[in-house]
Amino acid sequence: MDFNDLIRIIDGFRESRIIHSAVELGVFESLTKKPLDSNGVAGFCHTARPTTETLLNALVSMNLLTKSESLFSNSDTVNEYLVRSSNSYMGDIIRFTGRTWDSWGKLTDTITTGRPQEPPYTEKQYGEEWESFIRGMHNFAISRKDAKITTDVVDLSGKTILLDVACGPGTYSYELCLKNTNLNAILFDLPETMKVTKKISSEYELDGRLEFIEGNYKKDDFPVDVDCVLLFNIIHQESSEDNETLVNKIYNSLSKNGMLVIKDHILNDEKTLPKDGSLFSMQMKLITGGRCYNESEIYQWMSNAGFSELQTVGPISPMTSAFIIGIK
Ligand SMILES: C[S@@+](CC[C@H](N)C(=O)[O-])C[C@H]1O[C@@H](n2cnc3c(N)ncnc32)[C@H](O)[C@@H]1O
């Protein structure tokens, strides 16, 4: 690594924060109809003109906007991912990530004390921010093609009941139901999340094929005799002991030959790579106290529970996580 690469990493937070602020202020929405100068953008966003102009110029330097004379326009990337009217909008998850900013400022404290900054799933987090988080999972599943890759990889032919544990938006279940016409899905999550799940599910035409259960996977029973369980993007928020308990509980809810599919960042044996997983592991220690796991740790929980035919699929680009599949 040369000197400039090092400096780029050290100062990388500036670019992240500039995008977070631009999304929070609606800068990209201000430029959807026609190019505007900094006065026009400041008027739309209710911001001060001189600082808005500096922000717009910085966004040009980052190739997110273009500037002609004094008029600013969105780039194609912005129109695809950062404008609310786009089907591939990523703004919800950016808003949620932006909310973790103060916690990142206290990383040194977390590393020193071993404690996360924000125990998750507290009242404080519910409300509009919570909807952003859950919608953010939906953004990722659709925009990064995680849901499309899932329907390509997870073969549910012949299966009729799917249980989606901690389903969040429920996107993977909807897409699997659309692909497998005999499949019905049971969506399980906390009551606050389920409010958002129900809203998102209404955007799909799956009448009569979805059941919603409000529950806590640490305390409440799961339905039994299900053919397949999804445990997607969950294990990173829990300790190894809690994951082992959860995998056991899932084993008991499955019918014979039932399938468990785990999706998450899967680390190498040394827990250093892939980089996305390694950095996400740090984020989880900071935010939830969880971390990412390697294949042998996950295989251990699954084989202890009784699963066999264990296999890892992926990561398949552009998705950065992988699937681990086991059969009861
Ligand atoms: C990172 S999101 C993943 C959502 C979804 N599986 C996906 O991949 O899109 C984590 C989810 O876990 C849910 N959750 C957290 N703790 C839970 C618990 N104890 N019981 C049930 N759901 C829980 C949250 O409400 C949230 O929807």
Side-chain angles (χ1 to χ4, degrees):
M1 177 183 298
D2 72 16
F3 180 80
N4 282 338
D5 289 337
L6 179 64
I7 298 297
R8 218 167 285 125
I9 295 174
I10 291 170
D11 290 338
F13 70 92
R14 298 182 304 191
E15 291 191 71
S16 313
R17 191 59 237 177
I18 284 170
I19 297 183
H20 293 165
S21 290
V23 168
E24 284 168 13
L25 291 166
V27 167
F28 304 122
E29 270 76 26
S30 77
L31 297 171
T32 46
K33 293 212 172 74
K34 59 177 174 98
L36 292 176
D37 63 12
S38 55
N39 264 326
V41 176
F44 185 96
C45 300
H46 307 290
T47 51
R49 197 201 59 79
T51 38
T52 304
E53 179 160 24
T54 306
L55 174 74
L56 295 170
N57 287 334
L59 288 165
V60 173
S61 78
M62 292 160 64
N63 296 324
L64 292 170
L65 300 183
T66 57
K67 186 176 186 181
S68 170
E69 308 284 325
S70 58
L71 295 179
F72 295 89
S73 305
N74 285 337
S75 66
D76 292 345
T77 308
V78 164
N79 281 330
E80 183 163 7
Y81 297 114
L82 300 181
V83 166
R84 187 169 279 287
S85 53
S86 164
N87 287 337
S88 305
Y89 183 59
M90 293 296 293
D92 291 312
I93 197 69
I94 293 170
R95 239 178 236 103
F96 187 79
T97 312
R99 208 185 54 74
T100 65
W101 191 257
D102 290 347
S103 296
W104 278 106
K106 296 180 190 139
L107 182 63
T108 311
D109 175 70
T110 283
I111 294 167
T112 309
T113 62
R115 282 195 294 275
Q117 292 300 318
E118 282 186 53
Y121 310 118
T122 54
E123 282 304 317
K124 183 174 151 263
Q125 294 178 332
Y126 294 140
E128 204 176 307
E129 280 176 4
W130 198 245
E131 179 149 355
S132 291
F133 172 51
I134 299 302
R135 283 202 174 270
M137 300 297 111
H138 181 68
N139 293 161
F140 259 123
I142 299 297
S143 306
R144 201 178 45 195
K145 314 271 185 290
D146 287 22
K148 164 82 176 71
I149 294 170
T150 299
T151 57
D152 289 346
V153 164
V154 179
D155 180 6
L156 294 186
S157 43
K159 307 226 179 284
T160 55
I161 306 178
L162 170 75
L163 170 64
D164 192 345
V165 172
C167 61
T171 318
Y172 299 96
S173 286
Y174 312 143
E175 296 291 336
L176 284 164
C177 281
L178 288 177
K179 170 139 188 204
N180 299 275
T181 46
N182 291 325
L183 191 68
N184 288 348
I186 305 170
L187 300 155
F188 184 103
D189 208 305
L190 299 167
E192 284 300 325
T193 300
M194 206 44 94
K195 290 179 197 160
V196 188
T197 315
K198 286 181 178 167
K199 276 196 210 170
I200 297 174
S201 72
S202 67
E203 294 161 20
Y204 286 79
E205 287 183 13
L206 289 167
D207 288 349
R209 295 175 63 194
L210 305 175
E211 185 185 336
F212 301 90
I213 300 182
E214 293 181 0
N216 181 329
Y217 58 58
K218 290 187 175 163
K219 296 186 190 149
D220 297 314
D221 292 336
F222 291 151
V224 288
D225 284 335
V226 300
D227 296 324
C228 176
V229 174
L230 304 184
L231 188 62
F232 276 24
N233 307 311
I234 299 302
I235 58 172
H236 58 243
Q237 66 191 18
E238 300 295 351
S239 67
S240 182
E241 295 70 29
D242 284 347
N243 280 325
E244 180 143 25
T245 306
L246 188 53
V247 166
N248 260 306
K249 196 166 157 176
I250 289 171
Y251 185 85
N252 292 328
S253 78
L254 280 165
S255 55
K256 194 167 180 300
N257 298 320
M259 179 195 285
L260 166 60
V261 187
I262 292 178
K263 171 182 177 295
D264 221 288
H265 292 286
I266 312 296
L267 296 174
N268 63 1
D269 287 348
E270 294 77 24
K271 303 194 182 102
T272 53
L273 290 171
K275 188 175 174 187
D276 283 314
S278 202
L279 297 183
F280 196 66
S281 210
M282 188 74 267
Q283 182 173 338
M284 287 301 107
K285 278 274 171 239
L286 178 72
I287 309 286
T288 71
R291 67 172 172 89
C292 297
Y293 296 89
N294 64 26
E295 185 185 75
S296 42
E297 291 175 294
I298 300 167
Y299 277 23
Q300 188 75 50
W301 310 327
M302 291 175 76
S303 53
N304 286 352
F307 286 100
S308 55
E309 300 174 47
L310 304 183
Q311 55 163 323
T312 305
V313 183
I316 298 168
S317 180
M319 197 171 93
T320 51
S321 50
F323 303 98
I324 293 191
I325 301 173
I327 305 295
K328 177 168 177 177

